[in-house]
Amino acid sequence: MTDFSIELNFLKPNVDFDYEQINTLKTDDYSNLLTSISKYYKVDKNQIELFNGHSSAIYSILKFLNLKYCFIYAPCHLGYKKAASNLDYEVRLINRFENLYLPIKEKSVVIFANPSFLDGTYYDLEKLFEYWISKDATIVIDESLLDFCAESSVVKYIKSYEKLYVLKDYSKYYSNENLNISSIFSNNKNCELLRKYEPEDKLSTFTMIYLEEALKDREFKLISNSINIKNRNDLEKVLHNHKYVETFFRSSSNSLLVKLKNISSKEFRDKLEKDNIKIADCLKYDFIDDSFLNMYVNSKDDIYKLKEVLDAF
């Protein structure tokens, strides 16, 4: 089965895993990992708090903030809506595809993924930041997919706006679905307060060593991103002008969102599955209907196989 539904980077970093290290590490000693993240992402160690996975980080930050309104710019990772609803926020969704500048309430939480989830669009957030700040909003920016591109991070705003939290999950880019490590970047005071509510022993030594070693592979980002960009362009060429493809979003990540014509996403996926090609069903996401499908960048050989199958439609 050729699988275009896997969200993970199809390339992997060079991880030299020394099992002897497992016995020498304390599960509550994150100093080496914090140093690695700090150097790689140019964030002070005191501005980083670690979490046991993406969902844990989402729940922790929303529980910690404990505000009334949560505005989510969707489509977005569904974990945010689920966590906010479970924590009794009044959740409002803003359709990114139609109007970014719908009004929000004063002192609310806003959640924005950049690059965005599913379509991989990178947004210049300067004007939105001005508006959010004018509303005294607490801003949560999810930059889990930012490593796939060369665009700038909003971490630069941490010093100037105290209500900013930048969330990052490492599993997708570093291609390990069991890499249950996420982080939140914010100012020293915010991270110190967050830390009070976090358990000391929360990360496995296996995952810590994996991420530390992945961050040491300095050539990985250059190689991974150049190949991902090339393969994404090849994937776009395969889809361009196909009789069932109306358009697709210009992505800055490894994800591609496609709008179909004259066929439903289910019919399209069923046709591909007959030739052992799998594409994920994305109907569960907000503002996505049966004319959309999404796929993830894959190897050159797999893209060539997809081309052969689509050409025979």
Side-chain angles (χ1 to χ4, degrees):
M1 176 70 75
T2 303
D3 198 343
F4 285 89
S5 70
I6 298 174
E7 298 179 32
L8 302 178
N9 189 346
F10 80 96
L11 297 167
K12 294 182 180 295
N14 181 24
V15 174
D16 185 11
F17 204 95
D18 182 2
Y19 287 93
E20 293 298 322
Q21 288 183 260
I22 299 299
N23 298 323
T24 64
L25 286 178
K26 294 182 179 179
T27 55
D28 61 349
D29 182 7
Y30 309 126
S31 56
N32 289 340
L33 179 57
L34 286 169
T35 298
S36 297
I37 293 173
S38 173
K39 289 180 178 179
Y40 194 91
Y41 291 103
K42 297 177 174 57
V43 182
D44 188 274
K45 286 195 290 186
N46 294 322
Q47 296 176 334
I48 306 169
E49 181 57 15
L50 299 170
F51 298 88
N52 184 24
H54 199 202
S55 295
S56 176
I58 291 170
Y59 268 90
S60 292
I61 187 61
L62 289 176
K63 186 175 182 180
F64 168 76
L65 295 174
N66 193 30
L67 296 171
K68 183 176 182 181
Y69 297 103
C70 180
F71 287 81
I72 302 173
Y73 290 76
C76 189
H77 191 287
L78 294 176
Y80 286 102
K81 184 169 70 171
K82 181 179 179 181
S85 299
N86 288 343
L87 293 169
D88 295 326
Y89 280 83
E90 290 188 27
V91 179
R92 311 288 173 86
L93 301 177
I94 294 177
N95 188 338
R96 289 187 291 104
F97 299 154
E98 293 186 354
N99 188 358
L100 283 174
Y101 298 98
L102 290 177
I104 65 168
K105 291 185 176 293
E106 298 274 347
K107 299 184 183 300
S108 56
V109 180
V110 296
I111 294 169
F112 200 108
N114 200 30
S116 55
F117 193 66
L118 287 183
D119 50 299
T121 304
Y122 177 84
Y123 292 85
D124 181 351
L125 296 178
E126 188 173 347
K127 289 184 179 179
L128 274 173
F129 257 92
E130 291 177 2
Y131 174 64
W132 293 334
I133 291 171
S134 74
K135 291 291 188 176
D136 196 22
T138 299
I139 305 168
V140 178
I141 305 294
D142 190 321
E143 291 188 344
S144 296
L145 300 178
L146 188 65
D147 286 312
F148 282 102
C149 63
E151 303 291 352
S152 61
S153 169
V154 296
V155 168
K156 61 187 177 184
Y157 293 110
I158 285 177
K159 290 183 179 179
S160 59
Y161 192 59
E162 64 178 12
K163 293 185 178 184
L164 172 62
Y165 299 84
V166 182
L167 193 152
K168 185 180 262 313
D169 181 63
Y170 300 95
S171 60
K172 292 182 177 62
Y173 185 71
Y174 293 104
S175 193
N176 186 339
E177 63 182 349
N178 296 314
L179 183 60
N180 292 318
I181 300 179
S182 293
S183 64
I184 286 178
F185 302 153
S186 192
N187 64 40
N188 294 21
K189 181 181 177 181
N190 290 340
C191 286
E192 184 179 350
L193 290 171
L194 265 171
R195 204 165 294 125
K196 288 183 178 180
Y197 300 96
E198 286 296 303
E200 292 184 358
D201 183 2
K202 58 183 175 180
L203 300 180
S204 91
T205 52
F206 286 97
T207 57
M208 285 193 287
I209 292 174
Y210 182 95
L211 184 53
E212 285 174 34
E213 292 298 317
L215 293 172
K216 288 178 185 177
D217 185 0
R218 293 295 180 172
E219 294 182 354
F220 176 67
K221 187 174 181 66
L222 177 62
I223 295 170
S224 169
N225 288 11
S226 62
I227 294 176
N228 266 286
I229 290 170
K230 182 183 182 305
N231 287 16
R232 188 179 68 228
N233 289 339
D234 288 345
L235 184 58
E236 290 174 351
K237 289 177 183 176
V238 168
L239 297 168
H240 189 63
N241 291 331
H242 190 274
K243 65 179 180 179
Y244 287 134
V245 174
E246 180 176 315
T247 188
F248 48 81
F249 292 76
R250 292 293 179 183
S251 174
S252 293
S253 75
N254 69 328
S255 177
L256 198 64
L257 185 64
V258 182
K259 186 169 178 58
L260 301 170
K261 60 182 180 182
N262 303 323
I263 193 172
S264 70
S265 60
K266 184 180 185 307
E267 290 173 303
F268 194 89
R269 287 187 293 107
D270 287 347
K271 279 178 172 285
L272 290 178
E273 284 193 12
K274 290 178 182 178
D275 289 284
N276 291 317
I277 294 178
K278 182 179 180 181
I279 294 179
D281 179 3
C282 58
L283 277 173
K284 61 185 177 181
Y285 295 100
D286 297 297
F287 308 121
I288 295 292
D289 59 33
D290 202 32
S291 66
F292 288 97
L293 61 84
N294 82 296
M295 57 181 66
Y296 295 89
V297 175
N298 214 322
S299 69
K300 182 178 179 180
D301 288 345
D302 287 345
I303 293 171
Y304 182 75
K305 180 180 178 181
L306 176 67
K307 181 180 186 306
E308 285 187 320
V309 171
L310 289 179
D311 285 347
F313 269 22

